[in-house]
Amino acid sequence: MISVSGLTKVFGSGDAAVHALRGVDLEISEGDFVAVMGPSGSGKSTFLSILGCLERPSAGEYYLDGRDVNSLEDDELADLRNRKLGFVFQSFNLLPRHNVLRNVEMPLIYAGVPGDERRKRAQELLEQVGLGHRLTHKPAELSGGEQQRVAIARALANNPLVIFADEPTGNLDSKSSLEIMELFQKMHRAGRTIVMVTHEPDIAAYARRVIYFRDGKIVREEAKDELR
Amino acid sequence: MNFADLIQIVWENLRAHRMRAVLTTIGIAIGIAGVIAVVAVGQGGQAVIISEIEKMGSSLYFDISPDYMRGETADSNTFSIEDPTIIKELSPAVDKMAAITLGPMVDVRLPNSDKNTIMASLYGTHPDLIHVLNLSIEKGRFITDLDVTSHSRVVVIDAGLAEDLFPKEDPLGKKIFVQDTPLTVVGVLEKAPSSMLDAFSVRMVYTPITQAQDMLNTRVINQLCGTAVSEEALPQAISDSIKILESRHSSVSKSYMGTTLEEQLEMVGKVTSILTTVIGAVAGIALLVGGVGVMNIMLVAVTERTREIGLLKALGARRRDIMQQFLGEAVALCLLGGLIGMIVGIGGAFAIALAAHWPPLISVWTVLLAIGFSVIIGLFFGLYPASRAASLSPAEALRHL
């Protein structure tokens, strides 16, 4: 499903150039749950951005679901992110001015889903993450764990192929972290492909594969048998 | 994104920053209100001045004065009292004609009362003036030829002055003092339907020209005014009058100029439209400042919400979606400001018109132009920030704090 080879990313140019990725090769198959670990500055977040089509690589090949991502126009990438990819961020990144329901509706609006169907779908998703009673609250009125659950509902809005998560529990206490990871596990069991960046080993332990980054390269990989 | 969704999202965003939205809207509203009010009042004023002048006479009206374009002024040799009669006799093109000795500011009062002195303009003139200026008598009579030859101490007053001096009595036959000379009121003019001169409280008294010259102790005649027999004869009437005057006053080698009502109207039109343009330009600058305010707000909004833009792009917003949203916000602010400004501007124009006794002339075009302009400001000043916002890569925007 995901196939990258020789992926490099350089920020800036000349003497000030920073090599964030120095040639990464990786295959991720459908339904996999991959954790990406490494010290800060190792390039793991840049790698996730490129996989999530939020940024273009400086060089290298990237095939997602059989399509050559490098050849796509900006609008085609936007469509791809909208319909095939879902994102969960460390700082939740909810829209502060809109209520919870509207936040989950946003990807559906961009996908052109008509109003009634959209609200129904958003409501279902929020019920699935246990927030069916908070539809009209603003994000600031929710706890961190609740906000991240809204973000997960939003990531699932268009039933994407892959969920990308960048330190999804980084801003949460251990109890909320546990709840969030249970949701990830539920998604994984339902067959969703997940790529998650983290620096906490016990969070990475939920994944089936763990990839270690250092200085812009994959230095080690551990695969586990199906958990529990 | 469809239109209804766009409107809802724009509304939710603006509502979240109520204060900022309100202040920006006020900026635009002031500009729009200023433009509409100024143009409406200006056009109304212009229309009033023009109708005032039109009332002064018909399209047959003309006057002859010293050529002030060359710096000439009237002195006691410029015109003589007999000039109008002689010009009428010699030129078939001239129908009526009267000379005017003007006392621009004279004191008018009742006998035995030093208080309540009223300032008025004194017209010392011939009987023809009533026809030349299209005046009509309400009571009594106008000046006669006999009054002129016999220096009669009689006066014709306008309706406003009659009201001021004799609120409850019939003014006919009463004595009034003009520049401390007792005169008998022999006629009252009909109230002019307009207003502008009332508003400025300019009262008029008319006396035989001979009597006026005695009172003012002068032999100066300021101008001749007359009417031509027809509109086609107007240029003939003016050139005949000037020729006759030049030959009659050849010893002092004066030069004269003739002006028609048309020319006066043109001049007034020019002056007032220049005024309207200048004031309109000032209001336009206010509008521009309001527009820069919108752009500033949009720039702040974009910078502050860069992360949000990154997120929207991550969720699948295309460049067009981001542009639409930010442009939508800018246009909404300007349109709202434009509507408020339109209401305030029209209201203001009506209020000023009411106070100044002239009709507010609010042209649909001014209003459409102002509203259209406000939308264009919104589009124009929203475009740059919106385009900047939309061209960021999502990862770049998300890294922004």
Side-chain angles (χ1 to χ4, degrees), chain A residues 11 46 49 53-55 75 78-79 81-83 85 87 89 91-99 102-103 106-107 109-110 113 118-119 138 154 158, chain B residues 1-2 5 8-10 12-17 304-305 307-308 310-322 325 393-396 398-399:
Chain A
F11 291 106
T46 304
S49 284
C53 304
L54 300 175
E55 201 153 27
D75 279 358
D79 264 357
R81 288 192 296 264
N82 183 234
R83 292 165 197 277
L85 312 179
F87 295 92
F89 301 94
S91 49
F92 323 132
N93 281 350
L94 299 178
L95 299 168
R97 285 175 288 275
H98 302 286
N99 67 29
R102 171 73 82 201
N103 265 280
M106 282 317 278
I109 289 176
Y110 293 131
V113 178
R118 197 169 73 205
R119 269 182 290 280
K138 291 277 171 70
R154 183 178 64 188
N158 280 323
Chain B
M1 202 188 302
N2 69 33
D5 291 335
Q8 255 185 13
I9 286 170
V10 163
E12 285 168 19
N13 272 320
L14 291 180
R15 214 179 44 177
H17 281 298
E304 177 186 85
R305 283 154 66 185
R307 231 183 128 80
E308 181 181 323
L311 172 75
L312 294 178
K313 295 191 101 176
L315 296 182
R318 292 190 203 90
R319 185 186 163 77
R320 207 186 55 206
D321 295 318
I322 304 281
Q325 187 185 323
S393 102
E396 213 176 337
L398 277 168
R399 274 195 292 270

Side-chain angles (χ1 to χ4, degrees), chain B residues 10-200:
Chain B
V10 163
W11 169 245
E12 285 168 19
N13 272 320
L14 291 180
R15 214 179 44 177
H17 281 298
R18 242 166 261 139
M19 191 54 144
R20 192 187 284 175
V22 165
L23 288 177
T24 312
T25 306
I26 288 174
I28 291 286
I30 288 173
I32 299 274
V35 170
I36 291 180
V38 162
V39 174
V41 168
Q43 287 184 334
Q46 191 170 348
V48 167
I49 292 171
I50 287 170
S51 79
E52 279 301 326
I53 292 174
E54 273 170 349
K55 224 168 288 147
M56 266 171 51
S58 59
S59 53
L60 303 175
Y61 174 90
F62 69 96
D63 57 42
I64 308 287
S65 45
D67 195 345
Y68 57 80
M69 298 288 235
R70 293 195 199 155
E72 294 215 10
T73 51
D75 61 32
S76 52
N77 293 316
T78 310
F79 301 108
S80 71
I81 288 183
E82 296 77 27
D83 284 343
T85 323
I86 288 163
I87 290 170
K88 274 197 288 182
E89 252 166 46
L90 295 180
S91 169
V94 178
D95 184 19
K96 306 278 185 190
M97 188 168 254
I100 293 175
T101 289
L102 191 65
M105 289 221 238
V106 296
D107 292 335
V108 178
R109 63 179 173 83
L110 290 172
N112 315 321
S113 128
D114 284 339
K115 288 176 286 182
N116 302 330
T117 307
I118 293 166
M119 201 73 91
S121 285
L122 167 64
Y123 278 66
T125 190
H126 288 103
D128 272 7
L129 190 78
I130 190 163
H131 306 296
V132 172
L133 293 189
N134 264 351
L135 303 171
S136 32
I137 283 284
E138 189 194 334
K139 279 182 202 165
R141 61 174 179 83
F142 200 65
I143 295 154
T144 62
D145 283 323
L146 187 64
D147 289 333
V148 174
T149 49
S150 60
H151 296 231
S152 300
R153 296 194 159 191
V154 297
V155 65
V156 175
I157 61 179
D158 70 7
L161 192 60
E163 187 83 1
D164 292 343
L165 292 174
F166 307 101
K168 290 184 182 117
E169 301 161 84
D170 185 356
L172 289 186
K174 297 280 189 323
K175 282 240 171 354
I176 62 171
F177 278 73
V178 176
Q179 291 294 74
D180 292 329
T181 308
L183 301 175
T184 307
V185 178
V186 294
V188 178
L189 294 178
E190 236 171 47
K191 196 180 178 78
S194 114
S195 44
M196 179 101 138
L197 297 183
D198 281 354
F200 291 113

